[in-house]
Amino acid sequence: MRILALCAMGECDMNENVLDYDTVAFDEEKQAIRIIDQTLLPNEIRLITLQSQPEIWEAIQTLRVRGAPAIGITAAFGLYLAALPLRQLPVQAFLDALQQAKGYLSSARPTAVNLGWALHRMEQAAQRAISAGTAAAVTAMHDEAAEILQEDIRVCRQLGENGLTLVKPGWGLLTHCNAGQLATARYGTATAPMYLGAEKGYGFHVYCDETRPLLQGARLTAFELSSAGIDTTLLCDNMAASLMKSGKIQAVFVGCDRVAANGDTANKIGTLGVAVLAKHYGIPFYVVAPSSTVDLQTPTGDEIPIEQRSPDEICEMWYAARMAPAGIHAMNPAFDVTDAALITAIVTEFGIARPPYSQSLQEIILKKGRARQ
Ligand code: MRU
């Protein structure tokens, strides 16, 4: 891993707005992936490059790059980098080695379907071009990864346009975790209506749950939204109920890592609680999902694999001194599944799906298929 630039906030001449840096980019000259190391935010904006497969795997696993779409984009360029040195191999050996590299990268994190989705797209791009030889397949993979990145920008913009139809100027919006620009190539998913609303003068008040245990809400969402000049307030996770009761929240917008065919939705741990509260207080709860996150192969939320992370993230990682008894059992599931029944609507780039989701999500995916023809 190579450090490209280091910008400790307040101490450097570089442009310090985190939104001016690409969450994930590809450095053509160096043939390397360039990311913002998100484990250091908001205190340092450090750009690092990733080239080897273990570096890419580690960056995804440790959340240097995170958020479902950004993980997918990184893995796509990662598989291209894996393919580069395989060009000299005979076709079958090339394809076998590619399969192995795909398996390795997809093992970095289990819940976000975008990881497997992007790797599958890359493999298909290679398959389509392989009759012209391995070098042609590698070139096709480069172009596919670049397209996945550009497509994410277009999709997120459209998510924002669609999400904006659900809100009114001046509303208070609550979000959980980071489904922002730092989780995508631009705009974010749940934050896309907020960014587009800001462009159009909607004057939203955005409330960010801090999002225990890794504090994506505090470190990332509050950072990027306030950097964009959006009126942003940070909350402890346990404040959402009283804020909803006080009438300050008119809608909840969250992202997601996987939407099952019946509409059950995996997102950052704590999302389910927010959805239950929103239902209780009659506040609309919107999931913003690029169609790449809709997984019709997974029938319900029960089949979504939930990542279990180290208890250290809860007990000591974020503290000057350990905050829990040594040896204590701690649970650290990184995601929970919000029941479809708690979700008011699922906003996709192909339209807004409403219950019953087993029908409306199928229609969204059919629409996507037609758009591709
Ligand atoms: O563990 P993380 O930080 O990768 O979790 C991210 C989330 O839960 C996001 O809400 C989700 O990936 C959607 S990102 C547009």
Side-chain angles (χ1 to χ4, degrees), residues 38 60 63 65-71 109 112 114 156 175-180 182-184 188-191 211 214 216 219-220 254-258 266-269 271 288 290 293 307 309 334-335:
Q38 298 192 31
I60 294 174
L63 279 54
V65 58
R66 31 73 45 211
I71 292 172
R109 294 190 77 190
N114 304 60
C156 287
T175 190
H176 189 76
C177 194
N178 174 265
L182 288 165
T184 64
T189 59
T191 59
T211 316
L214 296 185
Q216 286 93 333
R219 296 187 302 107
L220 309 177
V254 295
C256 54
D257 284 75
R258 192 184 298 233
N267 191 46
K268 180 53 55 193
I269 190 76
T271 306
V288 187
T293 312
E307 177 181 21
R309 296 185 66 86
F335 301 94

Side-chain angles (χ1 to χ4, degrees), residues 9 17-19 38 41-42 66 175-182 191 194-195 206-211 214-236:
M9 296 307 289
N17 191 329
V18 68
L19 294 167
Q38 298 192 31
L41 295 176
R66 31 73 45 211
T175 190
H176 189 76
C177 194
N178 174 265
Q181 172 155 319
L182 288 165
T191 59
M194 300 166 191
Y195 283 119
V206 181
Y207 296 91
C208 307
D209 285 344
E210 64 178 349
T211 316
L214 296 185
L215 305 176
Q216 286 93 333
R219 296 187 302 107
L220 309 177
T221 310
F223 184 43
E224 63 164 270
L225 292 179
S226 57
S227 298
I230 293 173
D231 180 351
T232 307
T233 302
L234 177 62
L235 309 177
C236 293

